[in-house]
Amino acid sequence: MIIASRSVSKLNEAKQVLGGYVEGNEIDFRSEEKVAEFFSKVGKFDHLVVTAGEGAMGNFSGLPVASAKEAFNSKFWGAIYYSPFSTSIFKQ
């Protein structure tokens, strides 16, 4: 199993919880270059699950626009960066 996170401490914690053979990779999914590097390194695999993204917390009426934009950008652009690989990374 290959897992990735931009937080080394979260990677280490997940590896302990999951046990067995788990390969951890530090990656900032907000960087197009880092995403490309990650996919070229790990090769083909069976499943891709992405839960990455920053959220904006608070009441909608009091949420700063900058916080909402940051949350949107992390979810949207993160998905855009890894989506081109989705046609070529999966095992047949």
Side-chain angles (χ1 to χ4, degrees):
M1 179 184 309
I2 300 170
I3 61 174
S5 173
R6 60 190 169 120
S7 167
V8 174
S9 62
K10 287 183 180 180
L11 278 172
N12 291 335
E13 182 180 340
K15 286 171 66 174
Q16 278 190 316
V17 169
L18 293 169
Y21 179 77
V22 179
E23 177 186 321
N25 292 271
E26 183 180 3
I27 178 177
D28 186 346
F29 71 96
R30 298 170 299 179
S31 164
E32 187 174 4
E33 294 80 21
K34 295 293 183 186
V35 170
E37 181 182 301
F38 168 77
F39 282 112
S40 69
K41 182 172 91 171
V42 299
K44 295 195 180 286
F45 49 89
D46 297 312
H47 303 283
L48 174 64
V49 177
V50 178
T51 61
E54 299 187 20
M57 304 297 287
N59 293 329
F60 184 75
S61 62
L63 185 64
V65 172
S67 296
K69 283 182 179 181
E70 186 176 329
F72 173 83
N73 284 337
S74 73
K75 289 285 192 183
F76 178 79
W77 288 108
I80 294 298
Y81 293 155
Y82 63 74
S83 64
F85 299 97
S86 65
T87 58
S88 61
I89 58 174
F90 296 109
K91 293 178 182 175
Q92 297 296 325

